[in-house]
Amino acid sequence: MRNTTFMSRLVLGLVVAGSFGAGSLAQAQAPDQVAVQLDYVVRGNHAMFFVAKEKGFYAQNGIDVTAIRKGSGSNDALKLVANGNAQFGFSDLPTLMVARTKNIPATALVAVNQKSPLAMLSIKSKKPLRTPQDLKGMNIGVHPSGSTYVFLKAFFAKNGLSFNDVTQSTVAPPYENYLVLGRVDAVPGYIDAEVPELENKTGGPGSLSILQGSDFGLVNYGSGVFTSDKMIAEKPDLVQRFTNAYMQAFKYVIENPTDAVNILVKMNPEYKGKEEMLFKQLDADIKYTFFSADSKTKGIGWISPAIWAESFKSFKELETIDKAAVLSGGYDSRFVEKSQALRR
């Protein structure tokens, strides 16, 4: 009897020791190191990446984000992630859709802007805009590639305009100074980026005419989180954990925008003194772009197959996408859906 008891205790001790050993090994295992590539300089809708790092959401998911790099446009961000120079990125999603047809293997994970924040902008006191038709005869400043050009072509087509109706001036981003200096009459821009900056230079809130694309027939997403097809194929668990951390931060940013801006500035001290501008950018997203009918039922960040397909079809009709192109992926909602389920 005593031998049996002794053996039972010995086995139990070994099991317990083994359990602690396994836990210690799991804790000691190095986190996955990843880099994030932004589409542009730091803006309000980039807050989630920095909040997830500062609040420890990445660490809780076994991830070490070694860098959050500023960018020079969505096209470059897509190429850098597809080439493996970063593991995750932030991009205009219509631009990602176009890029896939040009053999850039990038896939959207989260549609951050459920409604595109892109709009046509002018200084109201000089060139007021009430409808798209008011753009006729104006000098439009835009660079003929990237997200703003994709938007401009779609906006014109949806509203019965063509480039023959305007004078097109090729300008390099950022476009704001060309508008402020009167070198162009109107520009495409983001209500959650350029608008707060422009208002500071043109007389404050209400000084701009703003025609947001989503109010004039455009049904497509704005910017979102993406990764490479290779990451999804080879490291789906890492993609899921990154999405979990990001979505936790997304919820936090919506509920705590002031703290989110403070974290942005803390981690990017060159923005000290620009807190108000960053808050206005983020506030514009919370009011006008983060939410949709889908987000009420599916949760923030979800990507609708119907909207994706409709966007692809319209871009083909506009010849922004080659007419022979076939819709093949471009988004993967599994990760955000699982993340939403985990948080319910």
Side-chain angles (χ1 to χ4, degrees):
M1 182 72 177
R2 280 180 296 189
N3 286 342
T4 302
T5 302
F6 174 76
M7 288 301 296
S8 299
R9 288 175 179 171
L10 178 61
V11 170
L12 178 62
L14 289 172
V15 169
V16 171
S19 298
F20 279 113
S24 300
L25 284 172
Q27 291 174 0
Q29 186 175 357
D32 290 293
Q33 292 189 333
V34 303
V36 172
Q37 179 62 55
L38 301 181
D39 53 340
Y40 204 53
V41 296
V42 173
R43 291 171 167 168
N45 64 358
H46 295 144
M48 293 70 127
F49 295 110
F50 297 98
V51 166
K53 187 172 178 67
E54 175 70 12
K55 290 292 182 180
F57 301 152
Y58 291 134
Q60 292 166 17
N61 283 276
I63 298 171
D64 175 21
V65 173
T66 58
I68 304 173
R69 302 174 187 139
K70 301 175 183 66
S72 56
S74 291
N75 275 323
D76 288 343
L78 290 161
K79 290 173 185 175
L80 287 167
V81 172
N83 291 337
N85 289 292
Q87 286 67 48
F88 298 91
F90 195 77
S91 162
D92 175 71
L93 297 186
T95 304
L96 180 151
M97 186 180 292
V98 174
R100 278 189 68 88
T101 67
K102 298 177 180 177
N103 300 316
I104 295 179
T107 292
L109 301 171
V110 183
V112 175
N113 300 118
Q114 291 284 300
K115 298 177 182 177
S116 173
L118 276 161
M120 292 306 301
L121 312 173
S122 72
I123 299 174
K124 190 181 293 183
S125 62
K126 297 178 180 179
K127 296 287 183 179
L129 297 174
R130 293 171 296 278
T131 72
Q133 298 304 313
D134 293 331
L135 290 164
K136 286 185 176 181
M138 288 192 183
N139 183 4
I140 310 295
V142 66
H143 192 276
S145 69
S147 60
T148 49
Y149 192 65
V150 170
F151 161 77
L152 185 61
K153 288 181 69 176
F155 185 85
F156 275 17
K158 279 288 183 182
N159 291 283
L161 295 168
S162 75
F163 283 99
N164 292 329
D165 294 319
V166 301
T167 299
Q168 180 188 334
S169 290
T170 298
V171 295
Y175 303 152
E176 301 92 87
N177 287 338
Y178 297 97
L179 190 61
V180 172
L181 294 172
R183 294 178 181 172
V184 297
D185 299 323
V187 296
Y190 290 82
I191 63 170
D192 59 351
E194 283 86 1
V195 165
E197 294 182 37
L198 276 169
E199 287 179 336
N200 285 339
K201 298 175 182 178
T202 58
S207 60
L208 298 177
S209 288
I210 302 170
L211 304 181
Q212 188 174 352
S214 60
D215 292 331
F216 291 93
L218 293 188
V219 181
N220 55 261
Y221 294 116
S223 297
V225 181
F226 73 96
T227 190
S228 65
D229 292 1
K230 183 177 180 181
M231 278 288 292
I232 291 175
E234 296 182 357
K235 298 182 178 180
D237 177 66
L238 174 55
V239 174
Q240 185 64 64
R241 287 183 283 118
F242 185 92
T243 305
N244 293 346
Y246 183 89
M247 294 304 294
Q248 190 175 354
F250 197 172
K251 183 174 183 293
Y252 184 91
V253 167
I254 291 169
E255 295 173 350
N256 305 276
T258 300
D259 190 43
V261 167
N262 290 335
I263 289 171
L264 262 181
V265 174
K266 177 183 177 182
M267 298 185 71
N268 299 274
E270 68 272 23
Y271 284 84
K272 186 71 176 175
K274 297 183 178 180
E275 290 87 350
E276 184 180 0
M277 179 194 70
L278 290 167
F279 181 83
K280 286 180 178 178
Q281 291 177 344
L282 187 54
D283 187 56
D285 274 320
I286 292 171
K287 287 178 178 175
Y288 303 115
T289 79
F290 282 168
F291 303 103
S292 66
D294 286 331
S295 62
K296 292 177 183 177
T297 57
K298 298 288 188 177
I300 53 175
W302 189 71
I303 300 174
S304 161
I307 290 177
W308 195 269
E310 184 177 343
S311 296
F312 189 86
K313 179 183 176 183
S314 67
F315 289 142
K316 281 183 71 172
E317 291 170 352
L318 295 168
E319 298 185 4
T320 300
I321 291 176
D322 188 287
K323 287 195 172 184
V326 177
L327 180 59
S328 59
Y331 70 96
D332 194 329
S333 289
R334 291 176 301 165
F335 302 99
V336 73
E337 286 173 355
K338 186 173 182 180
S339 175
Q340 296 285 19
L342 289 171
R343 295 194 296 110
R344 288 193 181 110

